[in-house]
Amino acid sequence: MLNGTEPSTRSTEYAVVFGVVVMLGLPLNAASLWILCTRMSLKSCNVIFMVNLALADLLLVISLPARVYYHATGAWPLGNMACIWFMMLLRNNIRSSSIFITFISVDRLIAVVCPLRSRHLRTASNAWKAVALAWVFVLAVNIPESLKLKQFLYSTNESRCYEYTKDLKGSKFRYFQPVLVLTLLAVNIVSTVLVSLTLRTRLNDSARVKNKVNIMLIFFMNLMMFAVCFVPVSMFVFFNCDSHCRTPLIWLASMNCCLDPLLYYFSFDGFWKRKEDVDTSGAREE
């Protein structure tokens, strides 16, 4: 049973930085989810993807107070199963957030490149199907991974949650997350390049400068999210990285729940207020 009484597990600095994530992420994502569900149309693909992104972030945030307590006291009173659940919530957030951010990028790509021909694809029904498949995929990975993690925690002599010094060596899941994140990053890079080229050729008039800047900000923020939050923590399996270098990477990964609301802001301000105008312009250009 985990007891986590070793004094070396205490870290006031980690308790503070994770506490800041909780204080920022909880109200930001709760407010974002409320605005998305009450003020925005759930018939829009992008809103559907953002609702699920905010939900994934909120699930991560509500799990972080346990980590704050752990780093502040050096004790883990909740047992192995709770430790597994909280650790899986972080992994699920990285996977689900990277998937939903990629959905947003691909949706914007299709909307900009072929606004008329894509209307039969960019429907609420298809968006919900994609979201459901994403959640099923993420949760399906949990089953064997949680069993392997449970086996590891119960067999190790270490008694500290979050502080295991090896990442399931020999497990087939060892390289799953970096491959997934790098693949989705490649999709975001290609989407960004294609949208940038399309905006240069189709939206050159001065009236469209603000829209163009805001649309590109969405793509650059998506890339920044991968570069800062998802890629570093996913790549530590390739290096000899113990808990002392892993915890800062996990903190960086958890910061995505504080940065995602900026993505919603730029989407609302730069795109949704002019959605009908943009679609009409795209129809005329087609």
Side-chain angles (χ1 to χ4, degrees):
M1 191 74 165
L2 288 168
N3 53 52
T5 57
E6 291 86 342
S8 61
T9 65
R10 298 187 61 179
S11 173
T12 304
E13 293 80 4
Y14 288 149
V16 170
V17 295
F18 280 108
V20 170
V21 174
V22 174
M23 288 188 292
L24 292 177
L26 185 59
L28 285 174
N29 284 283
S32 297
L33 193 58
W34 181 79
I35 293 172
L36 286 164
C37 291
T38 61
R39 301 290 183 89
M40 313 303 293
S41 173
L42 289 179
K43 295 180 179 180
S44 165
C45 293
N46 240 15
V47 172
I48 292 171
F49 297 145
M50 289 180 183
V51 164
N52 284 272
L53 180 58
L55 178 60
D57 289 340
L58 202 56
L59 288 174
L60 172 64
V61 171
I62 62 178
S63 74
L64 290 180
R67 184 180 280 272
V68 173
Y69 176 86
Y70 170 74
H71 287 302
T73 65
W76 180 257
L78 301 179
N80 279 326
M81 288 307 300
C83 179
I84 292 172
W85 276 98
F86 288 133
M87 287 164 60
M88 292 307 301
L89 280 174
L90 173 68
R91 297 185 181 206
N92 286 349
N93 176 264
I94 296 172
R95 294 161 188 168
S96 58
S97 294
S98 59
I99 291 172
F100 294 137
I101 286 174
T102 303
F103 283 171
I104 292 170
S105 293
V106 172
D107 179 70
R108 292 298 88 218
L109 167 66
I110 297 173
V112 171
V113 173
C114 48
L116 281 182
R117 288 174 292 180
S118 65
R119 291 194 178 192
H120 69 286
L121 294 174
R122 297 176 56 247
T123 63
S125 175
N126 287 338
W128 283 115
K129 290 176 183 177
V131 164
L133 286 174
W135 281 116
V136 168
F137 169 75
V138 170
L139 294 176
V141 174
N142 280 6
I143 299 173
E145 192 173 37
S146 295
L147 291 175
K148 191 71 176 178
L149 190 56
K150 178 181 178 181
Q151 180 183 6
F152 170 77
L153 287 174
Y154 278 96
S155 64
T156 184
N157 291 325
E158 296 182 13
S159 59
R160 297 167 293 170
C161 186
Y162 303 121
E163 300 292 334
Y164 53 95
T165 57
K166 56 182 179 179
D167 189 51
L168 306 177
K169 290 183 178 180
S171 171
K172 61 183 178 181
F173 294 104
R174 180 172 171 80
Y175 301 109
F176 170 77
Q177 187 147 309
V179 170
L180 174 67
V181 169
L182 291 176
T183 301
L184 295 176
L185 173 60
V187 173
N188 278 269
I189 292 173
V190 171
S191 299
T192 302
V193 172
L194 291 177
V195 168
S196 178
L197 293 174
T198 302
L199 291 177
R200 288 183 182 181
T201 58
R202 289 190 181 183
L203 301 177
N204 288 327
D205 55 292
S206 58
R208 291 296 177 186
V209 170
K210 187 175 182 180
N211 264 351
K212 182 164 63 173
V213 170
N214 281 318
I215 291 172
M216 290 310 303
L217 274 174
I218 295 172
F219 283 90
F220 289 131
M221 285 185 62
N222 289 347
L223 293 178
M224 181 190 70
M225 210 77 68
F226 273 87
V228 175
C229 299
F230 302 146
V231 173
V233 75
S234 299
M235 296 297 289
F236 66 68
V237 299
F238 293 103
F239 307 100
N240 186 20
C241 184
D242 59 17
S243 61
H244 295 292
C245 69
R246 184 175 305 185
T247 303
L249 295 179
I250 291 174
W251 173 74
L252 280 177
S254 66
M255 280 296 296
N256 85 90
C257 66
C258 299
L259 298 175
D260 283 336
L262 291 176
L263 175 63
Y264 313 145
Y265 171 79
F266 285 114
S267 296
F268 299 155
D269 185 65
F271 197 88
W272 298 114
K273 290 182 180 180
R274 302 174 180 82
K275 181 177 184 296
E276 293 182 359
D277 294 338
V278 172
D279 287 344
T280 303
S281 173
R284 286 197 299 265
E285 291 174 9
E286 284 291 309

